[in-house]
């Protein structure tokens, strides 16, 4: 199950408990489009850490402050949206790594066990926390190979919906052009020896992701799971003639 992750946009603790009981051990949380404020994020990451759940945080924006905050609160990695070319990505992702690899500032707190860090802490934290470049703009796709060559980038996380919009295709439909863009990301990741993660909501997307060597699949969103559960309940009630 470690290869499978769930997408969360809202800090509902009972949902995390249910996901954990079902065997999920990795979450991707959407700080950019979700309802996580800073107090929620602090409590949420303490809770998931206690549960032994790994969390990748899609940060609010491609800024130093947004990246450092989620790492300071204990996220295991960041997914950074709105990246452009290689040089923009170099400047932004530096915030995800401590010197000398980057410019991340030390804060103490949860990642350091609320204690003075050892001399090895900074290198260990650089290795432990992962920085995924989100490929969702035409510029980032055009320079994906250069982006993967950066020491501050540990892997890729394509954003298929925004990438389709940025490439002039409108709504993402996992069509031929969409698959071609995703395949380019996969090839670049393999060539660089770095992982890539795919949002894979359908069976066809999951089959594609596995064939292209995705390290992890995000298989359902929080709202998708809730909506499917409600729709399934209504369908059952209709079959039972409880609901006309």
């Amino acid at each position: 199950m470690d290869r499978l992750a769930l997408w969360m946009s809202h800090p509902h603790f009972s949902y995390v408990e249910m996901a954990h009981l079902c065997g999920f051990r990795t979450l991707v949380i959407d700080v950019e489009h979700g309802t996580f404020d800073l107090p929620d994020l602090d409590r949420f990451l303490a809770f998931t850490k206690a549960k032994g759940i790994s969390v990748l945080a899609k940060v609010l924006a491609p800024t130093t402050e947004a990246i450092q905050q989620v790492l300071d609160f204990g996220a295991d990695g960041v997914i950074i949206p709105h990246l452009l070319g290689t040089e923009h990505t170099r400047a932004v992702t530096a915030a995800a790594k401590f010197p000398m690899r980057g410019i991340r500032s030390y804060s103490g707190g949860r990642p350091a066990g609320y204690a003075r860090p050892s001399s090895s802490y900074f290198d260990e934290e650089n290795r432990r926390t992962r920085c995924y470049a989100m490929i969702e703009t035409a510029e980032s796709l055009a320079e994906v190979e250069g982006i993967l060559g950066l020491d501050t980038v540990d892997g890729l996380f394509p954003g298929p919906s925004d990438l389709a919009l940025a490439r002039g295709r409108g709504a993402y439909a996992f069509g031929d052009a969409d698959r071609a863009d995703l395949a380019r990301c996969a090839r670049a990741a393999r060539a660089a020896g770095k992982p890539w993660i795919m949002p894979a909501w359908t069976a066809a997307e999951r089959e594609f992701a596995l064939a292209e060597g995705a390290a992890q699949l995000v298989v359902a969103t929080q709202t998708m799971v809730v909506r499917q559960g409600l729709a399934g309940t209504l369908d059952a009630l209709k079959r039972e003639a409880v609901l006309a």
Side-chain angles (χ1 to χ4, degrees):
M1 289 285 283
D2 288 347
R3 196 175 190 182
L4 306 180
L6 293 176
W7 182 280
M8 288 190 68
S9 299
H10 311 286
H12 293 166
F13 289 77
S14 58
Y15 182 89
V16 176
E17 288 183 302
M18 287 184 279
H20 185 268
L21 287 169
C22 290
F24 287 95
R25 295 295 181 268
T26 303
L27 299 173
V28 174
I29 62 170
D30 188 354
V31 180
E32 181 191 9
H33 294 298
T35 59
F36 288 88
D37 60 20
L38 290 181
D40 283 336
L41 189 63
D42 184 31
R43 289 188 292 267
F44 187 86
L45 289 172
F47 183 73
T48 53
K49 185 177 179 65
K51 283 285 187 183
I53 295 174
S54 176
V55 175
L56 300 177
K58 179 175 175 247
V59 301
L60 181 65
T63 64
T64 295
E65 295 79 8
I67 294 165
Q68 288 186 163
Q69 279 174 340
V70 298
L71 293 175
D72 288 347
F73 288 173
D76 298 291
V78 290
I79 299 165
I80 305 179
H82 305 297
L83 296 172
L84 301 175
T86 303
E87 291 310 311
H88 180 240
T89 303
R90 186 194 306 276
V92 170
T93 58
K97 302 294 180 183
F98 288 115
M100 299 298 294
R101 285 177 66 184
I103 61 168
R104 180 182 170 189
S105 175
Y106 172 67
S107 70
R110 187 171 295 130
Y114 300 99
R116 185 173 183 172
S118 67
S119 59
S120 62
Y121 167 78
F122 300 101
D123 286 340
E124 290 170 355
E125 188 72 354
N126 279 347
R127 288 191 294 270
R128 186 188 72 82
T129 57
R130 314 302 286 172
C131 176
Y132 290 94
M134 199 162 195
I135 305 300
E136 58 176 356
T137 65
E139 296 90 342
S140 61
L141 181 66
E143 298 189 22
V144 65
E145 293 83 6
I147 287 170
L148 278 163
L150 297 173
D151 188 40
T152 49
V153 171
D154 297 303
L156 295 184
F157 193 111
S161 293
D162 281 333
L163 188 55
L165 284 170
R167 300 267 282 161
R169 296 193 292 269
Y172 168 67
F174 194 52
D176 291 343
D178 297 314
R179 289 193 295 272
D181 287 350
L182 291 166
R184 178 171 178 182
C185 292
R187 286 195 304 272
R190 285 195 299 271
K194 294 182 178 181
W196 75 287
I197 300 173
M198 180 162 166
W201 317 128
T202 66
E205 288 168 308
R206 291 188 282 272
E207 182 181 6
F208 172 90
L210 292 172
E212 292 287 348
Q216 207 160 48
L217 283 66
V218 189
V219 295
T221 70
Q222 183 178 10
T223 51
M224 179 192 304
V225 169
V226 174
R227 184 182 174 90
Q228 287 175 345
L230 293 170
T233 299
L234 290 175
D235 287 343
L237 292 172
K238 290 175 183 176
R239 290 193 300 271
E240 297 165 15
V242 175
L243 183 68

